[in-house]
Amino acid sequence: MGMRVGIDIGGTKTHAVAVDAAGDVLAESTRPTGRGHEQVLVSAELVVADLAGIIGVAPETFESIGVGIPGTVDVHTGYVSHAVNLGIEGLDLAVELGTRIAVPIYLDNDVNAAVLGAYRVLGHDLASLAYLNVGTGLAAGLVLNGKIHRGFGGFAGEIGHIPVEPNGLLCACGQIGCLETIASGIAIARRWPTDDSQPIRALFRAAEAGEPLAQAVRDRLADGIVDAVRILVLTTDVDAVVIGGGVMTAGRELWELLDQRFTALAASSPFLESVDLRGRVRPVPPGPSVAAIGAALLGETHPALTLPGSAHAGTAFA
Ligand SMILES: [Zn+2]
C-alpha cells in the first residue's frame, strides 16, 4: 500500500503520522519524548506501534520510517550527535531503530523535515520555500527548486549563528551577538529568566503590563525574527518563508510586532518595499505537524542510508 511513517522528535513531544502514497495523513500519534538514548528510541517505537494499531497493520508493513530530530544529523549513516535537549551526545539512531522495527529508517534534522512537510502541504505552486524555526534555537530549512538544500557541509540555513550585535551576548557557538542570542527560546531564557512553565507567554504578558525589561526583550525578539527573514530572502530569494517553532506560540501579538516592522522597513526603503518581505512570510499551515509529514517524505526523497566503509552501500537499514 506504500504507507510511510514520519516521526518528529521534539524536546518535549514526539509527533508521528502515517501517510499514504499520495502523502495524505492516515493516522497521528503524540507521546512525551523521553530523555537519553534508550528513552528516545522507546518514544519512537511507541508512536509507530500507535499508528500501526490505529490503522490495523503490523509495524513492519510500513514502507519506511523517517525521523526528524534536532541536532547534527549525518543523513548518509543515520547518526545523530549534539541533540543536547534530548540528552543525546551521539546515537546510531537509524541502526538502533531499524533493529527494533524491521523497516528502512531515514533520518534528517528537524528543520529539514519541517521545510519538506511545509512544502508538500502548501502546494507545488512554490518553487522554493524556507522554514524558519524560532524554537529553542534559531535555524532555517531550505527547499530550493523542489529539493532540500543542505550546502557543502550541511550548514545552509544556519542563520542563527550570523552575528548581528558586535557588543552582544556570547553565543554557545563561541561568537558574539549571534541572531540566536536575540531571537530564540535560549535568548529569552537568558535575557528574561522566569520560572513560568510557559516563558514566552509570560514574557508577552509582562511586556503588555508595562515591564520595561520584558518590553525590550520582546521587541528585540521581533527585530531578530525580522532580521532572520530579511537574511533568508536576500540570500536565497525564496518564494515564501514559513515561520514556526515554540516561540511563535506567542501568536497574534508577535505577528503584529512583525507586521509593524515589515511595514516600517518597506516605508523606509524602496528597495525592501520591492522585495516585499511581508508578502512572503506565512504561519505554519494548520493540521498535522508539518515536521512529521516531512519526516514521512524522507523515504521518498533521501538517498538510501549506507554504513560508512561497508559493503552495504546503496541499501537502507532494515
Ligand atoms: Zn552563534
Side-chain angles (χ1 to χ4, degrees), residues 1 5 8 18 32 38 54 66-67 90 111 123 134 137 151 155 169 172 184 188 216 219 228 237 249 302 318:
M1 281 192 287
V5 168
D8 173 35
E38 177 61 23
I54 293 167
V67 180
V111 287
V134 194
F155 299 113
L169 298 178
S184 69
I188 292 167
D219 291 351
D237 199 13
T249 57
H302 272 46

Side-chain angles (χ1 to χ4, degrees), residues 198-219:
Q198 294 184 307
I200 311 300
R201 290 189 184 159
L203 172 73
F204 275 72
R205 268 202 313 276
E208 195 63 29
E211 188 195 304
L213 180 61
Q215 287 176 342
V217 171
R218 176 199 64 182
D219 291 351

Side-chain angles (χ1 to χ4, degrees), residues 160-163 170-181:
H161 298 293
I162 295 177
L170 178 64
C171 183
C173 76
Q175 302 184 98
I176 303 285
C178 289
L179 261 181
E180 188 169 281
T181 68

Side-chain angles (χ1 to χ4, degrees), residues 51-104:
L51 296 174
I54 293 167
I55 298 170
V57 296
E60 287 73 22
T61 318
F62 295 123
E63 194 161 316
S64 67
I65 296 175
V67 180
I69 190 165
T72 306
V73 172
D74 185 329
V75 297
H76 299 290
T77 63
Y79 186 82
V80 59
S81 50
H82 309 302
V84 181
N85 296 323
L86 303 174
I88 292 177
E89 281 181 24
L91 175 64
D92 249 331
L93 198 148
V95 175
E96 293 287 339
L97 195 57
T99 309
R100 293 162 190 235
I101 310 168
V103 168

Side-chain angles (χ1 to χ4, degrees), residues 125-130 143 236-241 276 279-282:
D125 54 325
L126 299 171
S128 60
L129 180 70
V143 164
T236 63
D237 199 13
V238 280
D239 301 24
V241 179
D276 190 19
R280 301 201 202 204
V281 297
R282 48 190 82 182

Side-chain angles (χ1 to χ4, degrees), residues 105 186 206 231:
I105 311 288
I186 294 169
I231 288 166

